[in-house]
Amino acid sequence: MADANGDVRFWATRSTGYNKLDWARRSDYADKVVSAGEVTRDDVVLDIGTGNGVIAHKVAKISDHVTGVDISPEMLKHAHRNGQDNPKFAVGDARHLNFEDNIFSKVFSRMMFHGLTDGAKLAASEIHRVLKPGGL
């Protein structure tokens, strides 16, 4: 069974140095991830495991509707910048998303699945549930 509390504690600890990691700061890597998503202005985008919000902020330069979700309130403290309305950020668990079915046209998850200690299939199912038919 998934231990969300354990995940929250882990990421609270990890959040203090996360923005210093090379791959977390590399703009070229994030640009390639966003490019692969083929985002358009009209896309409604979800970034699962948004962490410090790098992908969500890059996607928000293209799409007017971006939401970043992370299990860690501590990680999300690093995601909020300049009081922007887009992207929006929310605390949430990828294994139990608090969204209606079929509402996102694009879903990103750059570095979340490898960090799940339990429940990867449930998270994938939830992502599929909230993704519109034909979404990416």
Side-chain angles (χ1 to χ4, degrees):
M1 179 155 214
D3 178 14
N5 290 329
D7 291 339
V8 172
R9 286 189 304 271
F10 173 81
W11 287 107
T13 302
R14 186 78 198 254
S15 70
T16 58
Y18 193 81
N19 284 336
K20 296 175 185 173
L21 297 172
D22 181 57
W23 68 266
R25 294 179 304 145
R26 287 184 47 200
S27 184
D28 62 329
Y29 175 72
D31 289 341
K32 288 177 184 176
V33 171
V34 172
S35 176
E38 302 174 356
V39 177
T40 67
R41 170 93 25 225
D42 296 327
D43 278 320
V44 179
V45 181
L46 177 63
D47 182 23
I48 296 287
T50 195
N52 59 0
V54 168
I55 298 299
H57 282 285
K58 286 189 177 287
V59 172
K61 292 177 183 176
I62 304 166
S63 171
D64 292 330
H65 309 285
V66 180
T67 301
V69 173
D70 201 278
I71 198 166
S72 171
E74 297 300 318
M75 287 296 287
L76 287 176
K77 287 179 183 177
H78 301 284
H80 293 282
R81 298 181 193 143
N82 304 326
Q84 300 167 323
D85 290 335
N86 186 40
K88 295 178 181 171
F89 293 101
V91 174
D93 188 332
R95 297 163 288 207
H96 308 284
L97 293 172
N98 192 22
F99 298 105
E100 296 177 21
D101 297 353
N102 306 316
I103 63 167
F104 294 99
S105 54
K106 303 284 170 70
V107 177
F108 287 86
S109 181
R110 176 178 66 150
M111 292 292 213
M112 188 258 322
F113 277 97
H114 77 281
L116 286 177
T117 54
D118 193 11
K121 287 183 181 180
L122 183 55
S125 177
E126 279 290 276
I127 289 170
H128 186 261
R129 180 185 64 75
V130 301
L131 187 63
K132 291 179 181 181
L136 177 64

